[in-house]
């Protein structure tokens, strides 16, 4: 099926914003210029711009046109269920992933995880710990627990690349949604070892329980970010005509 023209324009403009061809507070080309550039109608261009506005990428301002309001982020979008590899591709991040642990454990060895996933003591978990670094400096510590009866074994190579890609494309699991919480916590002993001398020694810790489409809980994730590097950012647009 041929992709609709306004989707093509939207994707190209969005990529140009993400790669800072058009930076924060800068104007996109005018509708007339975009009509000429893409050889299409004004209606098609407006559909593409509407999608960018809905994504929180631009704001349409009378007399100024479309102004970029997106400001780049370097961490996982808190409200999205998305893999690290997808974030790297989407935002052009240059993180290096190092696999620290890939092992099978009993659920009883991680009591909080056992409770959160509703498991029995003898149920098996695949326990994976990975670090995400920039220029040799660890920025994120990811710890995952997967229900073994659902995911089977996860190879070291898969853990280094993308576990979600393996689960969805090889095992055909339908990953659907998650519940998340965020807390700011002092460094634990392992945090000291992984992150090094950071002041103040605190992490922004995001804990997630992840569900399949049939509501089965299959993963518990603990993602620790250096608190001073962490930025929680969410775009919200007020609905119009809430009060008449």
């Amino acid at each position: 099926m041929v992709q609709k023209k306004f989707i093509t324009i939207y994707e190209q403009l969005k990529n140009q914003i993400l790669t800072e061809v058009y930076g924060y507070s800068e104007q996109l080309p005018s509708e007339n210029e975009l009509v000429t550039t893409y050889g299409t109608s004004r209606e098609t261009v407006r559909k593409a711009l509407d999608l960018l506005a809905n994504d929180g990428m631009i704001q349409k301002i009378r007399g100024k046109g479309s102004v970029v309001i997106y400001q780049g982020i370097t961490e996982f979008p808190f409200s999205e269920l998305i893999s690290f590899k997808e974030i790297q591709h989407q935002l052009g991040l240059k993180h290096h992933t190092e696999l620290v642990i890939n092992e099978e454990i009993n659920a009883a060895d991680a009591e909080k995880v056992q409770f959160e996933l509703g498991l029995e003591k003898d149920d098996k978990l695949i326990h994976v710990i990975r670090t995400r670094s920039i220029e040799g400096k660890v920025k994120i510590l990811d710890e995952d627990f997967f229900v073994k009866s659902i995911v089977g074994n996860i190879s070291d190579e898969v853990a280094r690349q993308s576990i979600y890609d393996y689960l969805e494309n090889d095992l055909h699991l339908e990953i659907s949604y998650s519940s998340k919480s965020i807390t700011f916590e002092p460094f634990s002993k392992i945090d000291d070892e992984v992150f090094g001398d950071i002041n103040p020694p605190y992490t922004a810790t995001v804990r997630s329980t992840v569900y399949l489409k049939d509501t089965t809980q299959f993963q518990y994730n603990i993602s620790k970010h250096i608190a001073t590097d962490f930025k929680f950012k969410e775009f919200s647009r007020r609905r119009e005509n809430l009060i008449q």
Side-chain angles (χ1 to χ4, degrees), residues 113-124:
V113 177
Q114 177 191 339
F115 173 77
E116 292 292 339
L117 297 181
L119 302 175
E120 299 296 330
K121 291 182 178 181
D122 293 333
D123 288 338
K124 304 298 182 182

Side-chain angles (χ1 to χ4, degrees), residues 70-78 87 91 93 231-233:
Y70 172 81
Q71 298 182 67
I73 56 177
T74 58
E75 74 290 329
F76 281 18
F78 182 72
I87 285 292
L91 300 183
L93 302 181
K231 179 171 61 177
F232 166 50
K233 181 174 181 178

Side-chain angles (χ1 to χ4, degrees), residues 74-140:
T74 58
E75 74 290 329
F76 281 18
F78 182 72
S79 63
E80 295 184 42
L81 178 53
I82 188 167
S83 73
F84 195 87
K85 186 175 181 179
E86 290 167 331
I87 285 292
Q88 284 186 301
H89 177 73
Q90 187 181 102
L91 300 183
L93 302 181
K94 302 299 181 182
H95 286 77
H96 169 73
T97 295
E98 181 175 340
L99 178 62
V100 179
I101 289 175
N102 183 11
E103 63 181 358
E104 178 182 314
I105 65 173
N106 290 322
D109 296 331
E111 291 184 1
K112 180 173 176 56
V113 177
Q114 177 191 339
F115 173 77
E116 292 292 339
L117 297 181
L119 302 175
E120 299 296 330
K121 291 182 178 181
D122 293 333
D123 288 338
K124 304 298 182 182
L125 291 167
I126 300 299
H127 179 216
V128 179
I129 297 180
R130 293 168 290 181
T131 60
R132 320 291 192 173
S133 305
I134 299 178
E135 297 180 352
K137 186 70 174 178
V138 176
K139 296 293 186 178
I140 302 172

Side-chain angles (χ1 to χ4, degrees), residues 176-195:
S176 184
Y177 63 97
S178 69
S179 60
K180 298 185 180 184
S181 67
I182 177 171
T183 54
F184 288 85
E185 305 170 2
F187 272 13
S188 65
K189 183 177 179 180
I190 189 172
D191 296 336
D192 270 323
E193 295 172 356
V194 170
F195 293 118

Side-chain angles (χ1 to χ4, degrees), residues 81 150 168 172-178 210-218:
L81 178 53
I150 295 175
E168 292 180 317
H172 306 294
L173 296 176
E174 294 185 274
I175 302 169
S176 184
Y177 63 97
S178 69
V210 189
Y211 299 76
L212 299 177
K213 189 175 181 180
D214 64 3
T215 74
T216 299
Q217 301 161 299
F218 81 100

